Amino acid sequence: MPQSIGVHPPNPRPKKIAVVGGGSTYTPELIDGFARLRDTLPIGELVLVDPAADRLELVGGLARRIFAKQGHPGKIVTTSDLDAGVEGADAVLLQLRVGGQAARQRDETWPLECGCVGQETTGAGGLAKALRTVPVVLDIAERVRRASPDAWIIDFTNPVGIVTRALLQAGHKAVGLCNVAIGLQRKFADLLQVAPAEVHLDHIGLNHLTWELGVRLGGPAGENVLPKLLAEHGDTIADDLRLPRQVLDRLGVVPSYYLRYFYAHDEVVRELATKPSRAAEVAAMERELLTMYGDPALDEKPELLAKRGGAFYSEAAVDLAASLLGNGGSPVQVVNTRNNKTLPFLADDAVIEVPARVDRDGAVPLPVPELDPLYAGLIAHVTAYEDLALEAALRGGRDRVFRALLAHPLVGQYEYADGLTDRLIEHNREHLAWA
């Protein structure tokens, strides 16, 4: 990844964008953003790539109707041929789920058998997803490199930090993207009754392990209104995070809602053991959404999609793609990119999630304040796990899986790690070439 950001004139040429995993029920959210923000990112051709032809037909049909209703001149193409779909692309968005919702359902349930949290992006379930996903994403990226060597890869596929690190380590032009930061920005803007563009977050950490250390008005150097937010709206924010108000008051920061898995692990495990999994909820929602997508009268994203997850993903994706492709976009965006001494206690090649300056040379993190050991310690701990998780994903082997699980702060005991290793391999054998 280049170390500096250059100055480039705007590039108004309509772009070819490919979406791998284009049959996802997320996709109409993305399509709506492309349509509404076409001045930010002019698109001549949008290719939806997915091996599931039945889903692709439904999603593609709705995508074309959304473009038509909003007067977007771009062409939407659907294909199951990855190589043809990404050929000549300016940017390729990755939003795939290896194993589908069935694999997610397993990720969220078998860890509970060992008394550990079952979640699709962190803990043992998150490791299972990484092991299934990294080899597939690297194969896709190599094919993108052959077909379109100058294309940027924007990764929205979880676990974003590990996947992005795998891409960067293999020399790909890649930036990771998550919707947590933009979701909090929009929430805070609403509470403050200002435009979202006025809100800048001091958002620091790893993907799904971040804290808002400040909320600034007007830009990175603006007034920090986080104390005011917590004083006036702390109950609302705490309720959204499902954490006690006093936790926010004692810390003086806003943790990502994923921090609840760390700060209230045992409480979460008890909850998960007594209710349907989120995967089951999402699977039911997806069936309903796909039925709706098949309605030829539907020409806008349905309200139900907001409950599916991924809120504001489209705005973040359009903004990032526009900046990387030289079409403007916000100069500072929260992304997943190489650390490069930003957090001095991590290796340069670690992938962190922070505000960065973005243009067609890539993403360069902004300087961040020195971190309290309370946050730095957990970041370092989870980064060590991610190192081992990536090694297991690339090289396989039971011992490597065990080491990654033993290193994870949500596991950490050899008896748990041993039992989880056996379960992970058993439930994912079809996706693990070495197993």
Side-chain angles (χ1 to χ4, degrees):
M1 179 71 67
Q3 301 293 307
S4 61
I5 294 289
V7 177
H8 303 282
N11 182 3
R13 174 181 63 83
K15 304 300 187 291
K16 176 178 179 179
I17 307 294
V19 181
V20 179
S24 167
T25 53
Y26 269 135
T27 299
E29 162 73 23
L30 190 61
I31 299 299
D32 178 73
F34 284 147
R36 288 186 293 102
L37 303 173
R38 56 185 174 271
D39 292 338
T40 301
L41 182 65
I43 295 175
E45 183 178 358
L46 177 63
V47 184
L48 306 181
V49 183
D50 203 294
D54 52 344
R55 293 170 63 106
L56 192 58
E57 181 181 359
L58 294 173
V59 174
L62 175 56
R64 294 186 184 98
R65 295 193 296 273
I66 291 173
F67 262 31
K69 181 179 183 179
Q70 299 197 31
H72 195 295
K75 177 175 67 171
I76 293 179
V77 176
T78 58
T79 182
S80 296
D81 186 334
L82 174 67
D83 299 303
V86 301
E87 185 175 3
D90 295 286
V92 178
L93 279 64
L94 304 182
Q95 55 172 40
L96 55 145
R97 183 184 295 281
V98 179
Q101 292 297 333
R104 176 179 180 173
Q105 167 72 14
R106 293 191 293 270
D107 292 345
E108 294 182 354
T109 51
W110 55 262
L112 297 173
E113 297 171 8
C114 296
C116 294
V117 70
Q119 211 278 330
E120 64 158 341
T121 64
T122 192
L127 176 61
K129 194 172 198 301
L131 298 183
R132 293 193 304 269
T133 304
V134 166
V136 174
V137 166
L138 289 179
D139 176 67
I140 291 169
E142 284 299 330
R143 293 162 73 176
V144 170
R145 179 150 54 189
R146 290 196 297 270
S148 303
D150 294 328
W152 277 101
I153 295 175
I154 297 173
D155 179 61
F156 193 66
T157 296
N158 282 318
V160 167
I162 294 173
V163 173
T164 303
R165 185 168 181 180
L167 288 165
L168 293 174
Q169 186 170 290
H172 297 290
K173 292 175 59 178
V175 179
L177 180 64
C178 180
N179 69 318
V180 167
I182 191 171
L184 286 171
Q185 179 207 41
R186 299 303 171 90
K187 177 68 176 180
F188 296 156
D190 183 58
L191 293 174
L192 293 166
Q193 297 185 313
V194 299
E198 291 296 304
V199 177
H200 175 89
L201 302 179
D202 291 343
H203 178 101
I204 300 175
L206 310 176
N207 180 242
H208 291 185
L209 193 87
T210 52
W211 297 263
E212 309 309 323
L213 304 187
V215 177
R216 301 183 182 277
L217 292 182
E223 177 193 3
N224 181 16
V225 296
L226 180 56
K228 174 184 175 182
L229 262 175
L230 290 175
E232 297 180 1
H233 304 286
D235 288 340
T236 298
I237 297 169
D239 286 348
D240 286 347
L241 300 174
R242 300 188 64 201
L243 287 170
R245 165 72 185 268
Q246 61 262 35
V247 172
L248 273 62
D249 290 338
R250 293 177 72 178
L251 296 179
V253 304
V254 176
S256 156
Y257 51 83
Y258 285 94
L259 265 297
R260 186 168 184 260
Y261 296 116
F262 295 81
Y263 292 166
H265 175 273
D266 293 353
E267 178 184 347
V268 172
V269 168
R270 288 192 295 271
E271 288 176 4
L272 294 176
T274 58
K275 68 176 186 179
S277 69
R278 173 63 177 163
E281 294 175 359
V282 170
M285 207 177 301
E286 285 199 335
R287 290 190 292 270
E288 187 175 352
L289 284 168
L290 289 170
T291 298
M292 297 171 73
Y293 294 172
D295 180 358
L298 183 67
D299 56 7
E300 60 186 11
K301 64 176 183 179
E303 290 184 11
L304 178 62
L305 187 55
K307 298 179 181 179
R308 167 66 180 81
F312 309 115
Y313 161 41
S314 60
E315 284 90 340
V318 169
D319 207 14
L320 179 54
S323 294
L324 292 171
L325 299 180
N327 280 81
S330 302
V332 175
Q333 299 171 42
V334 174
V335 297
N336 285 260
T337 192
R338 282 172 58 95
N339 177 46
N340 284 343
K341 299 181 173 57
T342 307
L343 299 179
F345 54 89
L346 297 183
D348 284 351
D349 66 348
V351 166
I352 59 175
E353 186 171 292
V354 293
R357 295 200 177 276
V358 184
D359 81 351
R360 32 174 127 155
D361 288 331
V364 176
L366 297 179
V368 301
E370 183 176 355
L371 280 181
D372 186 305
L374 180 62
Y375 314 124
L378 187 52
I379 289 170
H381 193 163
V382 174
T383 299
Y385 150 75
E386 292 189 346
D387 292 346
L388 296 169
L390 183 54
E391 182 181 9
L394 295 174
R395 301 177 64 190
R398 188 188 188 284
D399 285 348
R400 293 188 181 93
V401 174
F402 171 80
R403 283 164 54 82
L405 287 168
L406 189 61
H408 200 296
L410 296 183
V411 181
Q413 298 183 52
Y414 75 85
E415 186 176 356
Y416 290 169
D418 216 31
L420 289 167
T421 298
D422 290 338
R423 287 167 171 81
L424 185 154
I425 293 171
E426 181 60 30
H427 286 289
N428 292 276
R429 197 175 297 277
E430 65 181 297
H431 299 291
L432 306 177
W434 51 268

